[in-house]
Amino acid sequence: MKEFVRLQWDPEQCRNKLEEFRRLLADNQILREREDLLPFFRERRHLSAFIGIYDPWGITHFDLLAYEYSLFGDFTCDLVVGDSTTKHYGFIELEIGAPDNIFVRKREKTTPEWAPRFERGYSQVMDWFWKLHEEESQHGYSDRFGECPVEYFGLLIVGRDEAFSRRELRRLAWRASRTVINSKHIYCRTFDQLYADLASRLKLYLLSEE
């Protein structure tokens, strides 16, 4: 899906697909981007759209969705979610879900370093922000996203929880909560954290609908 499609988001379908995501994580220690992750999310639109929860004040309708979205011909985003009413968007990078994709240990150091896979994915999101800023005053920008102001966030999803100590999880949480580029947030979550976030938020959403 190279362009945005409209979606009438269904929380029950989202809940069913979220359970499939839980089983995927339970059954696989390593999740590969092209072989596992992109096909999984492409076939589960309601779950994909719900990743917009990371913009809780902007994306509330979960009604815009695009996979492998071309960003003005220079970059490709794995997933973009949005709200056609508020004009808020999330640009999402999926990296391999493996234990050594966020931190790597060096023999001569006691503190693990940030992994090349993590830094590559993080840099990709930064490049997307740069390109969006470059194109902001062009007609093609408003044709894609609507008239300004357009708000957006970035999200890098990479790695698994089980390989990290509590200290490293705190390092990841600290970086994720404090990274702002050009006044836009870049969040960083493992696939296990993504599941927990989606499950928690969906539970609250369903309770509010009762």
Side-chain angles (χ1 to χ4, degrees):
M1 188 191 308
K2 307 299 184 181
E3 302 294 337
F4 284 106
V5 298
R6 291 292 185 113
L7 181 72
Q8 188 171 351
W9 185 73
D10 185 332
E12 288 300 326
Q13 287 200 47
C14 184
R15 177 161 61 179
N16 293 336
K17 302 309 178 185
L18 184 60
E19 172 59 20
E20 294 177 4
F21 186 37
R22 185 195 66 78
R23 292 200 298 267
L24 179 74
L25 294 172
D27 293 343
N28 298 274
Q29 184 183 21
I30 297 175
L31 296 168
R32 293 171 177 82
E33 180 183 349
R34 293 288 167 184
E35 294 86 347
D36 304 312
L37 295 166
L38 282 172
F40 179 87
F41 283 103
R42 189 181 292 113
E43 294 170 5
R44 293 160 178 84
R45 294 184 177 186
H46 297 269
L47 178 63
S48 297
F50 196 54
I51 298 176
I53 62 165
Y54 288 96
D55 183 13
W57 298 280
I59 299 180
T60 57
H61 293 94
F62 313 111
D63 64 347
L64 292 176
L65 187 64
Y67 298 96
E68 296 184 277
Y69 185 75
S70 176
L71 207 57
F72 304 101
D74 286 345
F75 304 102
T76 300
C77 308
D78 288 334
L79 173 64
V80 184
V81 299
D83 185 324
S84 63
T85 301
T86 63
K87 300 186 183 68
H88 282 231
Y89 296 85
F91 294 86
I92 299 153
E93 170 69 11
L94 303 172
E95 285 287 348
I96 293 177
D100 59 351
N101 278 357
I102 298 181
F103 297 105
V104 291
R105 291 193 175 276
K106 299 293 184 179
R107 201 174 283 177
E108 67 278 9
K109 294 185 177 181
T110 58
T111 300
E113 294 182 355
W114 294 99
R117 176 75 65 172
F118 180 91
E119 295 291 11
R120 189 187 76 172
Y122 188 83
S123 295
Q124 283 185 324
V125 179
M126 290 181 64
D127 277 336
W128 298 346
F129 281 17
W130 165 77
K131 189 62 179 179
L132 288 163
H133 179 73
E134 283 260 305
E135 297 290 335
E136 198 170 52
S137 62
Q138 305 302 315
H139 292 301
Y141 185 92
S142 58
D143 290 344
R144 287 169 179 248
F145 304 114
E147 296 298 328
C148 291
V150 175
E151 296 295 334
Y152 53 87
F153 69 91
L155 173 62
L156 170 62
I157 311 171
V158 58
R160 304 295 303 271
D161 278 5
E162 66 266 20
F164 309 136
S165 67
R166 290 185 177 180
R167 184 185 66 165
E168 269 57 69
L169 286 174
R170 291 198 304 272
R171 285 174 68 190
L172 178 63
W174 188 90
R175 183 168 179 171
S177 65
R178 286 163 173 79
T179 302
V180 180
I181 305 294
N182 196 27
S183 301
K184 315 294 183 186
H185 279 279
I186 299 180
Y187 302 102
C188 313
R189 308 297 282 166
T190 68
F191 285 94
D192 304 279
Q193 289 170 338
L194 174 68
Y195 169 78
D197 292 342
L198 295 176
S200 175
R201 193 65 60 84
L202 184 61
K203 181 179 180 180
L204 290 175
Y205 182 91
L206 293 171
L207 285 173
S208 70
E209 293 295 298
E210 291 180 355

